[in-house]
Amino acid sequence: MESGPVPAAALVPLFLKDDEIHVLFTKRTSQLTHHSGEISFPGGRGEPEDINSAATALRETWEEIGIRPEHVEVLGELDDVRSLHNYRVTPVVGIFPAGYQLTVNDAEIERIIEVPLSHFGKPGVYRTEDWQWQGQRRAMHFYMHGTDEIWGLTARILKQFLDVLHGKCDAREEECTTPADFSYPPSD
């Protein structure tokens, strides 16, 4: 009997810079065994001491880029995303204070990438390709930021986040999301 997917979580870290919400990504070092050189959100496998997905995402964020868990306001979770390597990743959306002093774990992270949320709505930033995987056709999402290409699981999470924000629905998906009231600080 095949074991189930491994629980994992990733933080979609948001912060305010120049009066605009930004998304923080990391570029993984080329020395890592898995996903080396790829752009990702901070995150990883759940540990027994993690009480929930948010705890996993916040612990991993602390380990990778030095944002203390108590300094992140968790805004919510997105739908789980299954990785090709049998991980069930829960994306956790959170916001941390502007101007936060990051402490990058050089063993895992090559550099930090900060992208204004508005960038993802510009022409030519997003594209999709049909890929074959285990006999099935799947949409592969890609986002460009300068010379950095965001793809794979990170792009799937980013697309889901942007779809929730804008109330969009992909024709290939069964359910549509409703628009989120995304303002920070939240209005009453």
Side-chain angles (χ1 to χ4, degrees):
M1 187 164 139
E2 183 182 323
S3 63
V6 177
L11 182 69
V12 179
L14 307 174
F15 63 101
L16 193 61
K17 180 179 178 181
D18 301 326
D19 295 324
E20 184 174 2
I21 296 292
H22 282 62
V23 184
L24 184 145
F25 298 90
T26 62
K27 180 165 182 178
R28 297 169 55 88
T29 66
S30 58
Q31 292 83 12
L32 293 173
T33 307
H34 300 290
H35 308 290
S36 64
E38 291 183 10
I39 296 175
S40 64
F41 291 118
R45 174 193 303 247
E47 297 292 341
E49 66 270 13
D50 297 336
I51 60 171
N52 55 30
S53 298
T56 299
L58 295 175
R59 176 185 50 76
E60 287 285 338
T61 299
W62 165 247
E63 292 172 4
E64 292 177 19
I65 58 175
I67 301 174
R68 298 184 59 83
E70 62 270 20
H71 295 158
V72 178
E73 180 182 347
V74 173
L75 302 176
E77 294 182 357
L78 300 171
D79 294 336
D80 290 350
V81 179
R82 183 93 178 252
S83 81
L84 300 178
H85 303 288
N86 202 28
Y87 284 88
R88 186 190 73 247
V89 180
T90 302
V92 177
V93 180
I95 191 159
F96 65 94
Y100 199 92
Q101 182 64 44
L102 301 175
T103 306
V104 176
N105 178 344
D106 294 337
E108 293 186 45
I109 307 301
E110 179 182 308
R111 64 186 165 91
I112 299 292
I113 302 165
E114 301 176 348
V115 184
L117 194 55
S118 62
H119 172 78
F120 298 109
K122 294 179 180 177
V125 168
Y126 172 75
R127 77 178 193 282
T128 186
E129 297 177 3
D130 284 331
W131 283 24
Q132 293 288 327
W133 174 257
Q134 296 181 338
Q136 294 183 358
R137 229 164 86 165
R138 296 175 186 247
M140 185 65 72
H141 306 283
F142 297 85
Y143 293 88
M144 292 300 299
H145 180 256
T147 59
D148 292 319
E149 186 170 59
I150 302 164
W151 68 285
L153 184 74
T154 303
R156 285 179 26 218
I157 292 170
L158 178 60
K159 181 171 186 330
Q160 184 185 163
F161 173 66
L162 295 171
D163 285 352
V164 167
L165 286 181
H166 302 294
K168 292 183 180 177
C169 174
D170 188 308
R172 293 174 240 195
E173 296 181 18
E174 295 176 21
E175 295 182 25
C176 295
T177 57
T178 57
D181 175 17
F182 190 78
S183 58
Y184 196 83
S187 55
D188 293 325

